[in-house]
Amino acid sequence: MKTNKFMEELFSTIPPEVEREVTLSFDIADNISNILERKKLSQKQFAQMIEKKEQEISRWLNGSHNFTIKTLAKISAVLDVEIQDIICKPKQPFIILMPLTSNTLNIQPNIENKKRIKQTNYCYENYWS
Amino acid sequence: MGQKHFDIELLGNNDIVGLYSIKEKGSTYTEFHKFIFEYSEKYPQDINILKSHLKNIQNRGALERYFRPESTFADRVCAIPIEATKLRLYCIRISDEILIIGNGGYKTTKTYNEDPLLNKHVETLKRIDKIIRRKQSSKEIEIHKTLLKVSLD
């Protein structure tokens, strides 16, 4: 990251509670967006399903909405996901180093034994549970 | 009175996004600096939310859904849509990877163009966006992922 001094100072003075609050709003927005994408639902369809206006859904997805427990519960019910899937850190595509050995699998030791596992929108925690 | 001339200045970039601002020729500070200097003391809480919003954009990209279009569909001028505040910060979202941050102010009217100060900031960005579009068409601009190189002359 190449950041000038001004930006460094600017970001370093954000109170931790504000940073956590805004980051959580972004996490929720990204998770809902990912779930809609995974379920092949447009914002319009989701708005109809949850009986809200499309503008309201846009506000939910812009990273600054303060979600109530009631709203989170409704989103979770309508999208048929756990609330945890909505509030967790959004998942990035990741690479798992498989616990392979050259003996057990009869492969050359220098073969790259990384295997890309399917991209999933679930949280790490849920993936492993 | 003639129109002001601006340069584009890099505020910071990583693999995800490049954050830029505009600086009036001859000025020491960018428009974003001026915005922060003007409103940090008056609205500290709102400024902290905006700073945190920008930090998240820095980590996630300048995705379209993180912004609210402020002008017409013909330009890329948008506002950072903080629900909890009337403080507005205007930007030009070139792509998911390039964001030019301008100036803003406290919104007391229903629309930005009813407020002379907000209107001035949005109009400045609209004018700059128009120049950038023209230079993009004539290939007088260098855009490489998060890096933007353009002369606004």
Side-chain angles (χ1 to χ4, degrees):
Chain A
M1 176 76 192
K2 208 170 80 180
T3 309
N4 72 21
K5 205 178 163 200
F6 175 70
M7 293 302 277
E8 270 175 33
E9 282 175 10
L10 205 67
F11 289 154
S12 70
T13 54
I14 303 169
E17 68 276 14
V18 174
E19 187 163 352
R20 285 179 188 213
E21 181 187 331
V22 174
T23 300
L24 181 59
S25 293
F26 269 86
D27 287 346
I28 293 171
D30 286 355
N31 284 326
I32 295 172
S33 177
N34 288 341
I35 293 166
L36 293 182
E37 200 177 316
R38 199 178 73 230
K39 290 181 177 273
K40 296 182 172 44
L41 287 170
S42 66
Q43 282 190 35
K44 192 176 179 180
Q45 288 168 316
F46 178 47
Q48 285 166 350
M49 287 164 72
I50 205 160
E51 296 170 328
K52 296 279 181 190
K53 288 184 177 166
E54 208 178 333
Q55 295 97 304
E56 177 78 8
I57 306 302
S58 293
R59 280 202 292 274
W60 290 358
L61 298 182
N62 73 23
S64 74
H65 187 69
N66 190 358
F67 290 88
T68 62
I69 292 173
K70 191 176 174 181
T71 304
L72 290 173
K74 192 161 185 188
I75 294 168
S76 139
V78 166
L79 292 177
D80 191 24
V81 293
E82 296 298 322
I83 289 182
Q84 182 61 27
D85 295 333
I86 300 170
I87 62 172
C88 63
K89 282 269 160 221
K91 203 171 141 4
Q92 301 295 319
F94 63 100
I95 291 172
I96 295 177
L97 294 172
M98 300 295 282
L100 306 179
T101 68
S102 55
N103 288 340
T104 55
L105 291 171
N106 192 27
I107 55 172
Q108 296 300 311
N110 60 349
I111 289 177
E112 192 186 26
N113 55 3
K114 295 176 190 174
K115 186 165 182 179
R116 189 167 186 139
I117 303 298
K118 64 175 181 175
Q119 185 179 337
T120 167
N121 292 313
Y122 289 109
C123 306
Y124 286 102
E125 292 81 1
N126 288 348
Y127 185 82
W128 290 112
S129 63
Chain B
M1 200 174 76
Q3 284 182 327
K4 291 175 179 175
H5 293 278
F6 290 89
D7 289 321
I8 289 186
E9 186 168 299
L10 177 69
L11 297 172
N13 75 326
N14 56 16
D15 290 342
I16 301 164
V17 74
L19 300 178
Y20 296 81
S21 188
I22 50 169
K23 188 162 87 174
E24 200 181 328
K25 281 198 189 294
S27 172
T28 310
Y29 300 109
T30 68
E31 290 301 297
F32 180 56
H33 281 85
K34 290 179 189 172
F35 173 82
I36 294 293
F37 296 153
E38 177 72 27
Y39 297 104
S40 281
E41 280 188 19
K42 283 186 201 163
Y43 307 106
Q45 184 66 16
D46 296 346
I47 286 289
N48 280 331
I49 294 171
L50 273 167
K51 288 192 293 190
S52 191
H53 207 93
L54 284 173
K55 193 174 177 184
N56 272 281
I57 287 168
Q58 179 188 269
N59 295 332
R60 300 168 197 250
L63 308 188
E64 192 175 5
R65 65 183 163 82
Y66 294 154
F67 301 88
R68 184 175 51 226
E70 270 300 323
S71 188
T72 61
F73 286 109
D75 60 53
R76 299 172 284 193
V77 178
C78 51
I80 294 187
I82 309 296
E83 277 188 20
T85 172
K86 290 276 184 190
L87 193 61
R88 295 287 181 266
L89 176 61
Y90 299 107
C91 316
I92 306 171
R93 198 190 77 90
I94 303 288
S95 66
D96 288 358
E97 291 160 327
I98 295 175
L99 183 69
I100 302 171
I101 307 167
N103 207 327
Y106 203 84
K107 192 177 171 195
T108 54
T109 53
K110 198 172 177 211
T111 59
Y112 76 83
N113 41 16
E114 292 169 65
D115 182 306
L117 181 70
L118 298 187
N119 190 52
K120 186 185 87 172
H121 294 321
V122 173
E123 288 302 318
T124 298
L125 291 179
K126 279 166 75 173
R127 188 165 59 83
I128 288 169
D129 181 52
K130 210 170 165 183
I131 297 172
I132 294 173
R133 273 181 188 279
R134 199 181 64 228
K135 299 223 170 193
Q136 274 183 292
S137 301
S138 58
K139 308 216 185 307
E140 295 172 77
I141 190 168
E142 267 182 65
I143 296 181
H144 180 67
K145 281 203 78 180
T146 66
L147 291 173
L148 168 71
K149 214 173 170 185
V150 62
S151 162
L152 298 179
D153 293 332

